[in-house]
Amino acid sequence: MYKAPVEEIAFTLKHVAGMDDAISKGLLGDLSEDLVDAVLSEAGRFATEEVAPLADIGDRQGARLEGGEVRLPDGWRDLYRSWIAGGWNGLTAPEAFGGQALPHMLNVAALEMWNSGSMAFALAPTLTMGAIEAVSTHGSAALKEKYLEKMVSGEWTGTMNLTEPHAGSDLGVLKARAERRADGSYRIFGQKIFITWGEHDAADNIIHLVLARLPDAPAGTRGISLFLVPKFLVNDDGSLGARNDLFCHSLEHKLGIHGSPTCTMIYGDGRFGDEKGAVGWLVGEENKGLACMFTMMNNARLAVGMQGVAIAEAATQKAVAYAKERTQGRAPGWSGPGMSPIVEHPDVARMLLTMKALTQGARAISYACAHAIDMSHRAGDVSRHWQERAALLTPIAKSFSTDAGVDVASLGIQVHGGMGFIEETGAARYLRDARIAPIYEGTNGIQAIDLVTRKLPLSGGEQVKGFIAELKEIAERVRRSNLDGFAETSVRLDAAISDLEAATDWLTKTLADGKAAEALSGATPYQRLFGLVLTGCYLAKGALAESGDGRGAGRIVLCRFAAENLLAETAALRDRVVNGAASLAAARILLA
Amino acid sequence: MYKAPVEEIAFTLKHVAGMDDAISKGLLGDLSEDLVDAVLSEAGRFATEEVAPLADIGDRQGARLEGGEVRLPDGWRDLYRSWIAGGWNGLTAPEAFGGQALPHMLNVAALEMWNSGSMAFALAPTLTMGAIEAVSTHGSAALKEKYLEKMVSGEWTGTMNLTEPHAGSDLGVLKARAERRADGSYRIFGQKIFITWGEHDAADNIIHLVLARLPDAPAGTRGISLFLVPKFLVNDDGSLGARNDLFCHSLEHKLGIHGSPTCTMIYGDGRFGDEKGAVGWLVGEENKGLACMFTMMNNARLAVGMQGVAIAEAATQKAVAYAKERTQGRAPGWSGPGMSPIVEHPDVARMLLTMKALTQGARAISYACAHAIDMSHRAGDVSRHWQERAALLTPIAKSFSTDAGVDVASLGIQVHGGMGFIEETGAARYLRDARIAPIYEGTNGIQAIDLVTRKLPLSGGEQVKGFIAELKEIAERVRRSNLDGFAETSVRLDAAISDLEAATDWLTKTLADGKAAEALSGATPYQRLFGLVLTGCYLAKGALAESGDGRGAGRIVLCRFAAENLLAETAALRDRVVNGAASLAAARILLA
């Protein structure tokens, strides 16, 4: 059973991702390390004791559609009620609406724990937090006044309605339409698919944020507007009014996250209300909906990255526990009586250590991204730098972490042997749940396109250069540390960073030369290369931080393992980026 | 929907795996290329038209235990009956018992197609074929006379009963026991788990092969005997007699292969018969059961490898079809109206080509292994050489193909985007089914141990050296071919083969120095390294074979893609083998 790794999370936040630095500079208000520990500890307790025990039943029962209503798995309604009663939904939300305005870093760390407990459950607040952000950033004063307080408390949940059957990654072609009404409201019509927690019985109201097109809108992405469309209309006194003209038509039958209702939503077919059309209100300006949506999507991408970290953590814990307990065969050097625990077999140890390194690397990258987001709001003169850093890190955090989630969950099954394939064991669920994360909120391929075409050019390429220079400093500190066993690590880090630098330069030049197809052929290998280098460097940063007081031996050996066993891949990835495009292009005749 | 790639399979058999050579040397009897084509074509039709259409219902319904009887999914009983009516079960079985005594290569190719159609369904004959082999190799004349004909026809199916809850990979500790009876029979008692197709209603009888221990047996693997234990006792005239004292206690709830009943079998608890104990007959000698089991396990390992190839093929077909049809966004260089098919995006093309290269590589390795097995029975003076070659290739065929099955199926989901996560799409089932293959019949980690500790030392290391020399010749032929675009490929092949050679030498020396733990730390990376090198070389061999008559452009570009985009990984793998053990050993304090 999952146990929240509160100390590891706190260490990574403080000493790897930059929280200690931000606190010491006074950029996080009156946040103290003690408060951080207290929040994490209580979140860890809740995730471990309340959320995780209900994950299996959620998976087995799934969400069910009965007479137009969605029934959550047994116990989930109460779980959600008790979760919001703990105030967890408003951790980072504005104080004006009842939130606690804590740094994003803290929320992301808590999100990791909710997701380790149950990814399907944690999706509800993940979507609500995105909706809160969109409304509080782009909504009118009236909308904020009417909706935010209950969304912040979690009494009402939120959703994002983007996808239509023919419009997934390409939102420019969506067809849902909105009509203006004289009172300033709109009527929304259309069908949306893959709407996470689009309907359920745990909250009194559900606030849908819906992308739709006005009759006179320009074609493509510049003609999309964002609307707030509540399940129940809200009266001026805040009480709930009539049912709005929208409903959940069906639930998807999915590989994983069974407890999370994935809804097809129908807007404006006349099932409810006197006049056809779901009543909605504009968020932001007409035809500027995509910009509003991107506000929530950036944070949502990091939130999805946390799902990868979370599953990787939970899968690793489970596999390590099993490998220590299960005995089979006699490992080389085993001197005990009878069979050895399988953890003694070098091959099993390799799998487990790979799982640990990927998990901790993904966590550090994601927390560093959250730190950059915090700094982009709080760092005054250098906010713009941090905004760019967050933009650069977001696709890596999303893709590397979600790939790690899948890879680690799959290794976890392998460690369990035949038992891993049996659903009751629980290892298989992690793979089933994790598999969606590299897909939604922009596939990892789309993240790679974003990284290469939009993020590398930030500040004329200086943002990524500056970042690489910071990584070189870490490698340099590893060398100067002279720590036992760390010499080879510094060599490996140097080589990996050189690979990153060479690939970055090549991509920058190739894009500048207008060779988009060549550059994009290497986007995915480049993204993974970046993530691996960051994994090595952040593990090193943690090892250096802890080595000062004589502890840290564990961090040093894990960093060594990553440097000497995982980072060799970077040369192959650089090669794919720099040399792979021609043979890929030639082979496309096979796909004609 | 899956369509059996009959031409590709025939090409790989003939021109890559060695069938043309064997036919021209007269080693395959009166087998002609025409007969091969006819058999493959008919198998392909059956797999495409009869098996594949019932895969989804098998997955959805699964096998169900009702009142001690296992009910197969709708239509599966008739499907099995019609499959055996086609004579497919006895393709390689001895003619004396109604088989067709065709080469193993042909059977393996057909197995690929059954598994692409439905892996859960194909497991039934896979197990029966293993049982036929054990009985025909080790059984007494009386046992053969009584059982083989109906097993060869498929009227009776077979099973392998090895695993017990505490004895999976380590059979030495199994507890099932056998008692001698005066009439020469035995009584079997115990519980076996994970018994594939252990109970079902499609065959008149089920012939269980069960490992058990005699009262006076030595401890460990030298005290295990193999018994034939039929579900129904068989009278001397061949008619079915009383129900034997065994039954299916429960079915596992698994991640995939739902249509295949995975049974817990109870022997000898007195539910049936007058005297407690399931009646069984010894196969081979007392306490030599493990050797008998290994006979069937070697071929079973290759059969499991075929599952990986099969899933990879089916998943690739599905993903390519979807990527050509689904439009989204505008790929660089896309000049058509509106959105481009996603296959035009370089990142999607990279995934699809990786899937194709891994699939064809795994197929070639597996067929080459089957060819070696055939030659080990037919090649006269050089049979021993081929026996060793088969032994060397078996762990690679099993592990590389099953890893490819998982990786390709996962990429297939990714290509489908959100639709890939929806069960009705069918892409997710491939991942669920494929995930067991790296585990059963010896985990891929155990295959790697076998490869390094038992196979590299064959003929004092000369077997693997000779094989590497053959691979160098292929690379040399690529260079001399002077084919357009193939120059870089020859360089890449050379480098990859050098990596294999260096890793092989290091492992050989390290084992000779008695450093087992160090060697085994690199066993899994070595195994993958070997598989990747073989993929590159076999793709090249196919390209060279077809280039002569002016065709073959497709094979050349796929080989180039593999050489220039996939083989760069071999340097990292060699590095892990040669340099990775120390940091792995150091990091094991984290698992204490």
Side-chain angles (χ1 to χ4, degrees):
Chain A
M1 177 63 82
Y2 169 73
K3 184 166 185 305
V6 172
E7 277 187 43
E8 182 62 32
I9 286 174
F11 180 89
T12 307
L13 281 176
K14 294 176 191 170
H15 305 301
V16 180
M19 186 184 265
D20 52 359
D21 188 53
I23 289 179
S24 72
K25 286 181 179 152
L27 295 175
L28 297 181
D30 52 5
L31 186 78
S32 66
E33 295 210 8
D34 286 350
L35 177 58
V36 171
D37 291 339
V39 171
L40 293 177
S41 164
E42 182 53 22
R45 191 203 62 74
F46 195 97
T48 304
E49 295 176 13
E50 312 283 334
V51 182
L54 289 176
D56 278 344
I57 199 166
D59 182 60
R60 278 201 310 280
Q61 293 187 342
R64 290 149 294 175
L65 185 65
E66 293 174 0
E69 305 290 313
V70 170
R71 268 186 61 193
L72 293 173
D74 292 352
W76 277 38
R77 190 172 188 276
D78 290 342
L79 174 63
Y80 180 75
R81 296 279 173 168
S82 114
W83 185 83
I84 61 174
W88 295 113
N89 198 58
L91 222 51
T92 57
E95 286 175 308
F97 300 100
Q100 299 179 56
L102 287 167
H104 207 63
M105 290 184 89
L106 217 51
N107 194 42
V108 159
L111 256 185
E112 179 194 318
M113 296 189 264
W114 315 135
N115 275 295
S116 285
S118 165
M119 176 170 154
F121 176 79
L123 275 162
T126 300
L127 271 291
T128 304
M129 288 171 196
I132 290 169
E133 195 171 0
V135 174
S136 60
T137 310
H138 300 284
S140 67
L143 282 183
K144 290 188 204 177
E145 194 59 41
K146 203 162 192 173
Y147 292 95
L148 272 185
E149 194 177 318
K150 299 232 163 156
M151 292 171 75
V152 167
S153 71
E155 286 166 89
W156 300 349
T157 60
T159 73
M160 286 166 70
N161 288 241
L162 290 74
T163 306
E164 301 175 8
H166 59 288
S169 307
D170 192 339
L171 293 171
V173 297
L174 66 80
K175 290 179 181 164
R177 59 195 176 79
E179 294 176 2
R180 297 182 188 89
R181 286 294 178 270
D183 64 354
S185 73
Y186 295 77
R187 290 291 179 285
I188 313 296
F189 305 85
Q191 178 188 358
K192 295 285 182 179
I193 62 169
F194 297 165
I195 308 310
T196 299
W197 284 78
E199 175 58 39
H200 63 91
D201 57 1
D204 300 332
N205 203 0
I206 301 174
I207 311 305
H208 301 287
L209 293 181
V210 184
L211 288 183
R213 197 180 283 287
L214 286 161
D216 50 3
T221 52
R222 288 174 191 180
I224 297 173
S225 305
L226 181 65
F227 300 91
L228 182 156
V229 189
K231 176 179 173 186
F232 291 102
L233 299 175
V234 179
N235 299 320
D236 286 341
D237 65 357
S239 63
L240 295 185
R243 175 76 189 247
N244 205 350
D245 188 15
L246 62 94
F247 68 98
C248 169
H249 170 269
S250 53
L251 296 183
E252 301 291 352
H253 176 217
K254 308 184 298 290
L255 176 61
I257 52 169
H258 292 162
S260 166
T262 302
C263 306
T264 294
M265 301 296 300
I266 307 286
Y267 292 89
D269 88 327
R271 177 175 294 203
F272 298 101
D274 304 328
E275 182 198 345
K276 256 195 181 183
V279 183
W281 288 269
L282 188 68
V283 178
E285 294 173 44
E286 289 188 351
N287 301 328
K288 298 279 172 67
L290 212 59
C292 304
M293 217 65 186
F294 269 118
T295 303
M296 48 197 292
M297 272 170 71
N298 260 336
N299 287 7
R301 285 173 173 187
L302 175 57
V304 170
M306 295 322 303
Q307 298 173 349
V309 176
I311 296 283
E313 172 65 37
T316 302
Q317 286 190 18
K318 189 172 190 71
V320 170
Y322 184 81
K324 286 180 179 176
E325 192 183 302
R326 170 78 172 174
T327 60
Q328 210 70 181
R330 292 180 69 84
W334 174 248
S335 56
M339 298 188 288
S340 45
I342 62 171
V343 71
E344 297 291 330
H345 293 282
D347 178 67
V348 174
R350 174 181 287 282
M351 289 193 274
L352 295 170
L353 292 169
T354 302
M355 295 165 77
K356 275 184 178 276
L358 290 176
T359 302
Q360 295 195 18
R363 175 182 290 129
I365 294 168
S366 302
Y367 289 3
C369 182
H371 172 253
I373 293 171
D374 280 330
M375 292 302 97
S376 73
H377 300 307
R378 298 168 185 249
D381 293 351
V382 292
S383 289
R384 191 192 155 83
H385 160 76
W386 286 110
Q387 201 181 329
E388 289 189 354
R389 177 61 54 87
L392 178 63
L393 277 172
T394 296
I396 305 168
K398 194 275 182 181
S399 63
F400 188 79
S401 300
T402 55
D403 285 344
V406 171
D407 292 346
V408 170
S410 190
L411 283 170
I413 292 178
Q414 192 69 21
V415 169
H416 281 80
M419 290 307 296
F421 200 63
I422 306 301
E423 286 289 3
E424 284 77 1
T425 304
R429 172 169 65 80
Y430 290 133
L431 178 61
R432 289 191 288 98
D433 286 354
R435 194 59 195 80
I436 186 59
I439 294 173
Y440 59 16
E441 284 308 315
T443 65
N444 286 1
I446 287 173
Q447 305 298 325
I449 295 173
D450 176 56
L451 173 63
V452 167
T453 62
R454 295 199 200 94
K455 305 306 172 59
L456 292 190
L458 289 171
S459 284
E462 291 305 313
Q463 173 58 228
V464 67
K465 272 189 199 163
F467 195 21
I468 291 175
E470 290 172 31
L471 301 177
K472 286 181 180 172
E473 263 176 52
I474 295 175
E476 179 60 25
R477 283 174 52 212
V478 169
R479 179 179 10 265
R480 286 200 313 262
S481 76
N482 243 339
L483 283 164
D484 192 27
F486 238 17
E488 177 68 14
T489 297
S490 79
V491 174
R492 299 287 183 142
L493 287 176
D494 280 344
I497 297 168
S498 291
D499 289 329
L500 176 61
E501 199 165 28
T504 306
D505 291 347
W506 185 88
L507 284 171
T508 304
K509 184 176 180 325
T510 304
L511 278 174
D513 293 348
K515 298 176 184 166
E518 282 88 330
L520 292 183
S521 297
T524 289
Y526 177 73
Q527 185 167 248
R528 178 159 181 86
L529 165 56
F530 215 141
L532 274 178
V533 170
L534 291 178
T535 294
C537 291
Y538 284 141
L539 288 178
K541 193 175 173 191
L544 291 168
E546 206 169 58
S547 67
D549 55 3
R551 296 176 302 154
R555 294 190 189 279
I556 292 172
V557 294
L558 190 64
C559 180
R560 273 190 65 187
F561 174 78
E564 299 184 36
N565 271 286
L566 305 184
L567 287 196
E569 194 186 329
T570 61
L573 292 165
R574 181 203 59 197
D575 183 55
R576 255 168 240 181
V577 174
V578 173
N579 301 312
S583 66
L584 191 156
R588 288 170 72 168
I589 58 168
L590 294 169
L591 304 172
Chain B
M1 177 62 83
Y2 169 73
K3 186 169 182 305
V6 172
E7 277 187 43
E8 182 62 32
I9 286 174
F11 179 90
T12 307
L13 281 176
K14 293 175 190 171
H15 304 301
V16 180
M19 185 184 266
D20 52 359
D21 187 53
I23 289 179
S24 72
K25 286 181 178 152
L27 295 175
L28 297 181
D30 52 6
L31 186 77
S32 66
E33 294 210 7
D34 286 350
L35 177 58
V36 170
D37 291 339
V39 170
L40 293 177
S41 166
E42 181 52 21
R45 191 203 63 72
F46 195 96
T48 304
E49 295 175 13
E50 312 282 333
V51 182
L54 288 176
D56 278 344
I57 199 167
D59 182 59
R60 278 202 309 281
Q61 293 186 342
R64 289 151 293 175
L65 185 65
E66 293 174 0
E69 305 290 314
V70 170
R71 266 185 62 193
L72 293 173
D74 292 351
W76 278 38
R77 188 171 190 278
D78 291 342
L79 173 63
Y80 180 75
R81 296 278 172 167
S82 117
W83 185 84
I84 60 172
W88 295 113
N89 198 58
L91 223 52
T92 58
E95 286 175 309
F97 300 101
Q100 299 180 57
L102 286 167
H104 207 63
M105 290 184 91
L106 217 51
N107 193 42
V108 159
L111 256 186
E112 178 194 318
M113 297 189 265
W114 316 136
N115 275 295
S116 285
S118 165
M119 178 170 153
F121 176 79
L123 276 161
T126 300
L127 271 291
T128 303
M129 289 172 195
I132 291 170
E133 196 172 356
V135 174
S136 60
T137 310
H138 302 283
S140 66
L143 282 183
K144 290 186 203 179
E145 195 60 40
K146 203 163 194 172
Y147 292 95
L148 272 184
E149 194 177 317
K150 299 232 162 157
M151 291 171 76
V152 167
S153 71
E155 286 166 88
W156 299 350
T157 60
T159 73
M160 286 166 69
N161 287 242
L162 290 73
T163 306
E164 300 175 8
H166 58 288
S169 307
D170 193 338
L171 293 172
V173 296
L174 65 81
K175 290 179 182 164
R177 59 194 177 82
E179 294 175 2
R180 296 183 190 89
R181 287 294 178 268
D183 64 355
S185 72
Y186 295 78
R187 291 291 179 285
I188 313 296
F189 305 85
Q191 179 189 357
K192 295 285 182 178
I193 62 169
F194 297 167
I195 308 310
T196 300
W197 283 78
E199 175 59 38
H200 62 91
D201 57 1
D204 301 332
N205 202 0
I206 301 174
I207 311 305
H208 301 286
L209 293 181
V210 184
L211 288 184
R213 197 179 282 287
L214 287 160
D216 50 3
T221 53
R222 288 175 190 181
I224 297 172
S225 307
L226 182 64
F227 299 92
L228 183 155
V229 189
K231 175 179 173 187
F232 291 102
L233 299 176
V234 179
N235 299 319
D236 286 341
D237 65 357
S239 62
L240 295 185
R243 175 75 189 248
N244 205 351
D245 189 16
L246 62 94
F247 68 98
C248 169
H249 170 269
S250 53
L251 296 183
E252 301 292 351
H253 176 219
K254 308 185 297 291
L255 175 61
I257 52 168
H258 293 163
S260 166
T262 302
C263 306
T264 294
M265 301 297 299
I266 307 285
Y267 292 88
D269 88 327
R271 176 174 296 202
F272 298 100
D274 304 330
E275 182 197 345
K276 255 195 179 184
V279 183
W281 288 270
L282 188 68
V283 178
E285 294 174 45
E286 289 187 352
N287 300 329
K288 298 280 172 67
L290 213 59
C292 304
M293 217 64 186
F294 270 118
T295 303
M296 49 196 294
M297 273 171 69
N298 259 335
N299 287 6
R301 285 173 175 189
L302 176 55
V304 170
M306 294 323 302
Q307 297 173 350
V309 175
I311 296 284
E313 172 65 37
T316 302
Q317 286 190 19
K318 189 173 191 70
V320 169
Y322 184 81
K324 286 179 177 177
E325 193 184 302
R326 170 78 172 175
T327 61
Q328 210 70 179
R330 293 179 69 83
W334 174 248
S335 57
M339 297 188 289
S340 46
I342 62 171
V343 71
E344 297 292 329
H345 292 281
D347 178 68
V348 175
R350 173 180 289 281
M351 290 192 274
L352 294 171
L353 291 169
T354 302
M355 295 165 78
K356 275 183 178 277
L358 290 176
T359 302
Q360 295 195 18
R363 175 183 290 128
I365 294 168
S366 302
Y367 290 4
C369 183
H371 172 253
I373 292 171
D374 280 330
M375 292 304 95
S376 73
H377 299 308
R378 298 167 185 249
D381 293 352
V382 291
S383 290
R384 190 192 155 84
H385 160 76
W386 286 110
Q387 201 181 328
E388 289 189 354
R389 177 62 55 86
L392 178 63
L393 277 171
T394 296
I396 305 168
K398 196 275 181 181
S399 63
F400 188 80
S401 301
T402 56
D403 284 343
V406 171
D407 292 345
V408 169
S410 190
L411 282 170
I413 292 178
Q414 191 70 20
V415 169
H416 280 81
M419 290 306 296
F421 199 63
I422 307 301
E423 286 288 3
E424 284 78 1
T425 304
R429 172 170 64 81
Y430 290 133
L431 179 61
R432 289 191 287 98
D433 286 354
R435 193 61 196 79
I436 186 60
I439 294 173
Y440 59 16
E441 283 306 316
T443 65
N444 286 1
I446 288 173
Q447 303 299 325
I449 295 173
D450 176 56
L451 173 63
V452 167
T453 62
R454 294 199 201 94
K455 305 306 172 60
L456 292 189
L458 289 171
S459 283
E462 290 305 313
Q463 173 59 228
V464 68
K465 272 190 198 164
F467 195 22
I468 291 175
E470 290 172 32
L471 301 178
K472 286 181 179 173
E473 262 176 53
I474 295 175
E476 178 62 24
R477 283 174 53 212
V478 169
R479 181 181 5 270
R480 286 201 313 265
S481 77
N482 242 340
L483 283 165
D484 193 27
F486 239 17
E488 178 68 14
T489 297
S490 78
V491 175
R492 299 288 183 141
L493 288 177
D494 279 344
I497 297 168
S498 291
D499 289 329
L500 176 61
E501 198 165 27
T504 305
D505 290 348
W506 185 89
L507 285 171
T508 304
K509 184 176 180 324
T510 304
L511 278 174
D513 292 349
K515 299 176 184 166
E518 282 88 328
L520 293 183
S521 297
T524 288
Y526 177 74
Q527 184 167 249
R528 178 160 180 85
L529 166 57
F530 215 140
L532 272 178
V533 170
L534 290 177
T535 294
C537 290
Y538 285 141
L539 288 178
K541 192 175 173 192
L544 292 167
E546 206 169 57
S547 67
D549 55 4
R551 296 176 302 154
R555 294 189 189 281
I556 291 172
V557 293
L558 189 64
C559 181
R560 274 190 63 188
F561 174 77
E564 299 183 35
N565 271 286
L566 304 184
L567 287 196
E569 194 186 329
T570 61
L573 292 164
R574 182 203 58 197
D575 183 56
R576 255 168 239 180
V577 173
V578 173
N579 300 313
S583 66
L584 191 155
R588 288 170 72 169
I589 57 169
L590 293 170
L591 303 173

